[in-house]
């Protein structure tokens, strides 16, 4: 059986371009015991993909040159040699940017699509939501009444982090690009305030939105926004370094200039990687599914229908701020 896969053929410098990928047709191997063949329907499009294309030491090995581009995805089982997954089951896993994926059944998560759409399992109940859950609760350790600032607030991770902070009784302030996204963050996600970082009055607006300072900063953006937040943090504040999307394509990344505020405030700044929490994913998904059922947590997907060949165009939407909510690529032939 033939498969079509998108292979990385060169490492990007700055923003990735379409020509660093090749669309390749290849014969699929036979299924082995315990494996399933999945027809990929949707791909989770993540800022981390940009980092996975880089050479060098990271929390996960880089995608090799000539290898299928790594991606989390969801699809249906179309052939099975598994005792736990049947034909037609919906699953998620590391499918890669390809039409079909062969995975061991132990690397797949079976999805219950009767209560929630598949998209929710790639967003709020997938890597994005889990990152927010563990990053905020374990590393941010918010307490009721504290002020939590979230950058990238209208995005997949930020939206969930802020909503969980509200569930925990915090005052939550978001940062997002443009008035439309800020309205969404306050009126649909229930944050207490949201500041537009693209506005000329951003620095002043940010200070005004944080009269009691910052106890927890959940940072998805890095760069200048991290520096501005550092000067507003409180005594014993926690800064969660979840990501730094403003820096992923920078050839000379911006390091924090105001880091001595950590010393002055006896504060801490700590990086997180969602994969470290894999043993606890199941209980986190259960708790978040409960919040969704109770109407305390909303889940929003920004779905783009496109063929595999357009993967890079869809990925770039993250860096052009086009998505509100979880960016998902729905594969069309
Ligand atoms: N540590 C982990 O384990 C882990 C796991 C998953 C994700 N992450 C990180 O979490 C962050 C958010 O990921 P996500 O999947 O939720 O993406 P996302 O927020 O849904 O999408 C990206 C958003 O980032 C904002 N953005 C893009 N370029 C920017 C810039 N130069 N300055 C400021 N904002 C910019 C845009 O929103 P605006 O319109 O507001 O600009 C864009 O819509 C990323 O940094 C990602 O790497 C970390």
């Amino acid at each position: 059986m033939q498969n079509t896969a998108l292979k990385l053929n060169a490492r990007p410098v700055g923003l990735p371009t379409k020509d660093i990928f090749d669309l390749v047709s290849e014969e699929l191997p036979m299924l082995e015991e315990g494996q399933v063949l999945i027809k990929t329907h949707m791909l989770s499009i993540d800022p981390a993909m940009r980092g996975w294309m880089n050479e060098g030491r990271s929390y996960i090995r880089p995608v090799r040159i000539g290898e299928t581009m790594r991606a989390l995805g969801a699809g249906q089982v179309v052939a099975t040699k598994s005792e736990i997954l049947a034909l037609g089951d919906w699953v998620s896993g590391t499918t890669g940017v390809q039409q079909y994926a062969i995975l061991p059944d132990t690397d797949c998560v079976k999805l219950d699509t009767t209560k929630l759409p598949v998209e929710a399992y790639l967003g709020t109940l997938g890597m994005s939501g889990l990152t927010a859950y563990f990053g905020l609760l374990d590393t941010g350790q918010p307490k009721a009444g504290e002020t939590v600032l979230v950058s990238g607030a209208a995005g997949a991770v930020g939206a969930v982090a802020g909503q969980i902070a509200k569930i925990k009784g915090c005052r939550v302030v978001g940062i997002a690009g443009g008035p439309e996204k800020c309205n969404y963050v306050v009126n649909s996600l229930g944050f207490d305030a949201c500041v537009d970082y693209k506005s000329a009055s951003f620095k002043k607006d940010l200070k005004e939105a944080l009269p009691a300072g910052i106890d927890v900063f959940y940072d998805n953006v890095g760069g200048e926004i991290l520096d501005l937040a550092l000067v507003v943090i409180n005594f014993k504040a926690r800064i969660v370094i979840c990501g730094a999307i403003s820096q992923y394509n920078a050839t000379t990344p911006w390091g924090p200039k105001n880091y001595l505020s950590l010393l002055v405030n006896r504060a801490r700044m700590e990086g997180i990687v969602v994969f470290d929490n894999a043993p606890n994913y199941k209980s986190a998904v259960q708790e978040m599914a409960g919040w969704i059922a109770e109407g305390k947590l909303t889940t929003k997907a920004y779905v783009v229908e496109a063929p595999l060949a357009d993967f890079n165009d869809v990925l770039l939407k993250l860096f052009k701020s086009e998505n509100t909510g979880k960016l998902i690529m729905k594969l069309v032939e």
Side-chain angles (χ1 to χ4, degrees):
M1 188 175 166
Q2 286 296 117
N3 183 31
T4 307
L6 197 77
K7 311 277 182 181
L8 184 71
N9 70 26
R11 306 232 171 258
V13 179
L15 277 174
T17 48
K18 218 168 181 163
D19 58 354
I20 64 164
F21 297 104
D22 286 326
L23 202 58
V24 173
S25 179
E26 60 190 9
E27 183 71 18
L28 282 167
M30 299 292 285
L31 280 190
E32 291 173 15
E33 285 309 316
Q35 289 184 329
V36 286
L37 178 68
I38 301 160
K39 177 152 173 46
T40 317
H41 286 273
M42 291 183 197
L43 294 174
S44 168
I45 304 297
D46 295 293
M49 289 170 150
R50 176 61 187 82
W52 298 342
M53 297 176 199
N54 290 340
E55 191 71 74
R57 184 174 163 264
S58 187
Y59 60 89
I60 193 169
R61 74 159 176 78
V63 177
R64 296 189 183 100
I65 297 299
E67 190 179 14
T68 299
M69 181 60 203
R70 182 185 295 132
L72 302 176
Q76 271 186 300
V77 173
V78 291
T80 178
K81 280 206 166 186
S82 160
E83 289 178 3
I84 49 175
L85 292 173
L87 279 184
D89 279 351
W90 276 91
V91 293
S92 64
T94 309
T95 56
V97 184
Q98 56 185 341
Q99 209 180 4
Y100 292 98
I102 293 178
L103 291 179
D105 54 12
T106 46
D107 289 358
C108 298
V109 178
K110 191 171 164 181
L111 309 180
D112 177 1
T113 56
T114 58
K115 295 193 186 83
L116 287 169
V118 174
E119 293 90 316
Y121 293 98
L122 293 182
T124 305
L125 299 183
M127 185 177 82
S128 314
L130 289 164
T131 304
Y133 181 96
F134 291 109
L136 181 76
L137 297 179
D138 289 358
T139 307
Q141 298 177 0
K143 291 165 201 69
E146 287 190 327
T147 301
V148 176
L149 176 69
V150 180
S151 61
V157 175
V160 179
Q163 290 182 90
I164 296 177
K166 281 302 300 175
I167 291 170
K168 297 293 171 188
C170 300
R171 177 169 187 272
V172 185
V173 177
I175 300 176
E180 206 177 311
K181 284 197 182 182
C182 286
N183 276 338
Y184 163 74
V185 167
V186 173
N187 297 321
S188 300
L189 300 178
F191 286 40
D192 297 285
C194 186
V195 189
D196 175 5
Y197 75 90
K198 291 183 176 165
S199 159
S201 55
F202 172 57
K203 287 184 191 173
K204 184 174 138 285
D205 298 345
L206 185 66
K207 270 201 168 155
E208 281 176 9
L210 296 162
I214 303 167
D215 299 298
V216 179
F217 178 31
Y218 193 100
D219 189 22
N220 292 307
V221 168
E224 198 172 359
I225 285 179
L226 171 58
D227 251 331
L228 290 172
L230 272 165
V231 293
V232 196
I233 57 171
N234 293 335
F235 182 73
K236 290 284 180 190
R238 289 81 72 198
I239 299 181
V240 183
I241 301 295
C242 174
I245 194 163
S246 70
Q247 304 303 304
Y248 293 168
N249 296 294
T251 39
T252 46
W254 173 304
K257 294 186 175 72
N258 298 328
Y259 75 94
L260 281 179
S261 180
L262 297 172
L263 182 157
V264 172
N265 292 293
R266 286 74 136 189
R268 73 180 156 84
M269 184 151 95
E270 189 175 335
I272 56 134
V273 173
V274 64
F275 303 132
D276 295 344
N277 302 285
N280 300 318
Y281 281 174
K282 213 170 170 183
S283 58
V285 166
Q286 266 168 4
E287 185 164 24
M288 286 195 285
W291 289 333
I292 293 173
E294 291 167 40
K296 292 180 179 166
L297 183 60
T298 63
T299 166
K300 182 177 168 66
Y302 185 94
V303 181
V304 178
E305 293 192 19
L308 277 178
D310 289 350
F311 163 75
N312 195 60
D313 295 338
V314 182
L315 176 67
L316 290 187
K317 288 180 185 296
L318 290 172
F319 303 107
K320 293 183 196 161
S321 301
E322 286 182 30
N323 65 306
T324 300
K326 173 71 203 172
L327 180 59
I328 286 173
M329 180 172 173
K330 188 171 179 183
L331 297 183
V332 292
E333 302 287 316

